[in-house]
Amino acid sequence: MASETLANVQHSRTQWLNSLLLGLLSLASTLYCLELIKISGQISPLWFSTALMTIVVFRNPVRHLPLLLSGCMVGVICANAIILGPGLSNLKFPLINLAQALMGGVMLRLLLDHHAPLNTLYSWVKMMLAVGLFTPFIGAMLASALLNIPAASLTQFFSTWVASEVIGMLALGPVALLWQRDSLMKHRVLIETVLTLLVTLTLSWLALRFLPWSFAFVIVILFYSAVRLPRLAAFIVYLVTVSMISLMLALNLIPQDFISAPLLVSVPWLPFLLALVPSHLMTLVMHSFREERKHISESETRFRHAMEYSAIGMALVAPGGQWLQVNKSLCRLLGYRQDELEGMTFQQLSHPDDLNADLIQMNALLAGEIASYSMEKRYLRSDGQTVWALLAVSLVRDSEQQPLYFISQIEDITGLKQTEKVNQQLMERITLANDAAGIGVWEWNPITGEMTWDRRMFQLYHLPPGAIITQQSWMNCLLPADRKKVMALLDDAMKNTSPIDVEYRIETSSGIRYIRCQGNMVADEPGQSSRMLGINQDVTAFRQLTDALDQERERMHITLDAIDEAVISTDEEMQVIFMNPVAEKMTGWPQHHAVGKPIAEILQITHGGEGPEQEIVLSCALPKNTKPADSPDQDLVLHNRAGEVFAINYSLSPLSTQEGDNIGSVMVIQDVSESREIFKRLRYSASHDMLTRLPNRASFEQRLKVLLMPQENQHMHHVLAFVDLDRFKAVNDSAGHAAGDALLRELSTLMMRQLRGSDFLARLGGDEFGMLLPECSLEDASEIASRLVATISQYQFLWKGHEFSVGASAGLTIFDSSSNAVEVMTQADIACYQAKNSGRGKIAVYGEATDHDLPPTPGISPLPR
């Protein structure tokens, strides 16, 4: 509650301050206009008070208007009293101005956008029609009626009143409409506005004083402001210039030879209209032009960003096929650098078998026969591989409908094409498997009762192909004893949308056959099951081979569960009896060579690529799915006959009969090379700087913590050093960040060569490096650091034909296990800062003076950092 009261008080103070400022502004502007009347002896050719109050009515909420307009009225009344003397008659003019302002402000509220009042030439026309013509006429009529102007001078009074109000609105209105507190706060805009104003005033004064047809020159001068300055700044220049011209006219500073004196007496407002109206029009035209150019620039920027950061490849292609511009995604897709691609044509990278189809579509697009096209095509990568891409192309034409360039979107669909190929192969295998296994496929519509059978179904039921099959004719093929069971299962499957799996008997010309029927309800629409799709298989032979089926079913069950991994089946003696294709590839043993051999002879598994051999647990008395610990640190590796290695996990499952007799085992081996490599890369990325391949700050701090751990020898000393490159920013600024990155990589290699085997070098960020020198004296550490800094200073970096040299400064501090990590790093940082402040290329030890100067390197001119 207190905060709300304080806010209200603050708001009230602000309104009173605004009213005071408006009163002072009204007082000053009215005094100026009245002084012109006093000097010239006639009505002022411009009047600001009405324009100011009109804009106050337009810009402020209704609840604030009484206070603000009161401030304006007080200023106008005081100005009249100062110039004309006190009197009740002095209230007539301010009241007429107030009435005119209220009418004009309301009209502006209806006609103009409050947030963008003068954005277009059309809005300026509406403003001038409302408050530049209509309300001045009304005000002139009120003034003529209230002041009892004689008929002889009524015309001149009326026209001069209207003209002064029009010119006042033209001069002050746009400035008041557009003014914001921070309108000219930009340093460049403010300076340019002030300079342009001074030049305009000077040139206008000279033109009016010494040149014939002076107002024509003034218009040209004001046109410069319209072209050069932003909208508000230009209107401010016009306001000040018009004020100066009015003052010159009142003081007779414009030579009579240059202008027509009778014309100025009859129409004193004409020069102002000649100066203001064309300038206003030019300003608004230039503003519209700048806005349009800004929108075009923003659109181009959005398109450029959309292209640059698109996840798919995008390119601008000339009608002849040259790559004009390509994004990073396309460079990654095709394996080329951007400059390399932009020097090539798409014909060079298109697969020969797809190029002709692309050219046909492109020519049709150029001829205007199609608006765009898309197609699947292959591209040739820089490494010789082929990638599939979905190409979408559109054409950009100029205003004369001449082709400018193509916009090509190239999306990598290699994985999709491979998936399609795999799916096609899978369908072929399924069809072949169905034929080989004697499986028939059927479809049943429960609503109509119609059934659709494939060729194999007719063969299973010994019916002629093409016969019309319904649910009833199918049920008639079943033995009567099985019909009731099958019908019940079908009804249950329909009600619960559940699968059906039933075995029944049919009577054929070759006798009774056992059929296994499997099906599932298929929903064409969500929640609505409209058909059942299923298969039939003659299982008579399987029922006749019960014992063999039990064993084979167990083997097939486990094998099918592991179909995506390497599967090796063994007998009870652990000799290989089956290997799937993945197992053949991973072990290097073809199945026909491996069958009958002990599994230990087929598999060679080690801990790591060079580690000890892992003994596989071969006892079939183990429980099922016995697995080694699945840990990335275990690093089990399978070596095949061809010398290839695979990172693996494996599981070993025993097989047994229903009576529990051992019949062998199944070993499933999973290739985890990719996931393990990803894990290693992630672990490496987390601890190393990817630019220099040095350890990063986190690794550096971790190593420091290890050195700070309590040791058996508590008096063991270590040294920490910070190395900061000098003049590295000059290389970045002059040669680019690519050069800076290359320099960092080369310097990292150089620094590593200067260190001992036990030393630890890390990139801490930017051009800053850290060194840990374990079990090292301060003298030895200083020698190592000096050698390292000297090596960096003497190194000549060559980039695109230009040589660069940099330097380095180093700060050292000594510590032991009793030290604190933060204090040690802070000390090294302070020492490095002291070294750099001592002239760079120096070595500083924390707590000592920086006296480790390096000798100058002959022939190398240092670059400023």
Side-chain angles (χ1 to χ4, degrees), residues 630-645:
D630 188 7
S631 169
D633 294 329
Q634 189 170 1
D635 288 340
L636 293 180
V637 175
L638 172 64
H639 302 258
N640 69 6
R641 298 178 71 190
E644 296 176 303
V645 293

Side-chain angles (χ1 to χ4, degrees), residues 753-812:
R753 294 174 182 169
Q754 308 303 318
L755 303 181
R756 306 173 304 171
S758 60
D759 296 340
F760 186 85
L761 175 66
R763 184 188 178 199
L764 304 182
D767 58 351
E768 184 180 7
F769 297 82
M771 292 190 303
L772 289 173
L773 309 177
E775 302 181 26
C776 184
S777 65
L778 190 58
E779 292 77 14
D780 293 339
S782 299
E783 180 180 355
I784 293 173
S786 299
R787 186 170 62 247
L788 187 145
V789 170
T791 300
I792 294 174
S793 300
Q794 295 169 7
Y795 181 70
Q796 294 296 302
F797 174 64
L798 183 62
W799 180 263
K800 295 184 178 180
H802 298 281
E803 285 189 354
F804 300 88
S805 62
V806 296
S809 302
L812 285 71

